[in-house]
Amino acid sequence: MSTPTLIGVAEFGARYTARLIQFGESPEVLVPLLRRIWTDTFRRDTDAMAAALLARDWWSLAINPRHRRWDPQPPVTGLGYPAVTEDDTIRQGSLRETLGGSLEWLYLLHLDQRLVVVYEATVHGRWLRHSAHHLDPFEDLFVTAPALDEGGAEMTVCTVCGAVDEIDHVEVPSIAGYGHDTATSCTRCGSSVATDPVFGGHVTRKPWPPHTPTTGSTR
């Protein structure tokens, strides 16, 4: 069963430019694939990756697509299977638009931050931000780690200071007029991730260990 998905680039004013992936995937599957395409195919060149994704509509993405005799077009090495559509125009849209059809996911690249922000289509025909992911996973401030004891709950770990489950999260209606502004911070070191519907996510990493003030020596 197909999962119609849009993938593209975030623009100013909650707008975007995107292409269709007929057989898209949920973030658990597509985000790791996008990270590998970014690293292996485009050598971490986010602009080049965005240009290639926006060059055509897609049947599906794949890091190592193989030629199939029933494909109307040859695969694009390191990227996926292009789709043949009647209307091959690039899509210009808004996060505030009313959705029609069967779209399920929207993945937007924030080029200057090397970030992918994922939106899901709600039952009310609106885009709702689902999650944000750095293309370089080492840039994620908070990561989820397995429980230390069998059957226990997973841990949220700060990658700056190593604090476990010492996280404060605040979510309020956004001043943009739709969606929410969020702030997630480590209560030990003060590092934080702030997100909003317009600009996506911003990571602040505090120095760790904290700088110790130097005192003048006495004679």
Side-chain angles (χ1 to χ4, degrees):
M1 184 176 180
S2 66
T3 307
T5 298
L6 295 178
I7 188 164
V9 175
E11 298 179 355
F12 183 75
R15 299 197 62 80
Y16 66 84
T17 300
R19 286 286 194 170
L20 175 70
I21 307 175
Q22 186 61 46
F23 284 84
E25 297 282 0
S26 65
E28 292 78 11
V29 176
L30 194 55
V31 168
L33 176 58
L34 289 172
R35 283 172 170 164
R36 189 174 175 193
I37 290 173
W38 178 67
T39 302
D40 295 359
T41 305
F42 294 99
R43 299 295 187 264
R44 299 173 177 257
D45 188 334
T46 314
D47 290 335
M49 176 175 167
L53 288 169
L54 292 175
R56 53 180 60 83
D57 288 331
W58 299 93
W59 188 252
S60 63
L61 299 184
I63 189 65
N64 187 27
R66 299 181 179 181
H67 178 72
R68 303 175 300 195
R69 63 179 182 275
W70 59 83
D71 287 328
Q73 292 188 9
V76 178
T77 302
L79 199 52
Y81 299 94
V84 177
T85 57
E86 294 182 0
D87 183 11
D88 191 36
T89 58
I90 200 165
R91 180 179 179 126
Q92 305 282 345
S94 169
L95 295 176
R96 303 169 185 171
E97 66 195 359
T98 300
L99 300 175
S102 56
L103 289 172
E104 295 190 30
W105 297 100
L106 169 65
Y107 292 77
L108 293 183
L109 293 168
H110 290 252
L111 302 181
D112 57 337
Q113 301 178 54
R114 301 193 299 183
L115 187 75
V116 181
V117 180
V118 185
Y119 298 84
E120 60 181 326
T122 70
V123 295
H124 303 293
R126 309 290 291 182
W127 288 121
L128 177 68
R129 189 180 64 241
H130 176 275
S131 54
H133 310 267
H134 284 279
L135 288 171
D136 186 342
F138 293 105
E139 293 182 6
D140 284 340
L141 181 57
F142 302 113
V143 297
T144 301
L148 295 178
D149 55 326
E150 186 175 352
E154 291 183 329
M155 306 178 298
T156 301
V157 181
C158 174
T159 59
V160 172
C161 68
V164 175
D165 292 333
E166 297 181 39
I167 306 299
D168 183 46
H169 180 75
V170 177
E171 181 171 330
V172 297
S174 176
I175 60 175
Y178 66 98
H180 292 80
D181 295 340
T182 70
T184 305
S185 58
C186 174
T187 57
R188 178 191 294 179
C189 69
S191 298
S192 63
V193 178
T195 69
D196 66 75
V198 178
F199 297 105
H202 177 72
V203 176
T204 301
R205 292 177 177 270
K206 297 292 187 178
W208 189 265
H211 295 307
T212 302
T214 57
T215 57
S217 59
T218 58
R219 296 183 179 179

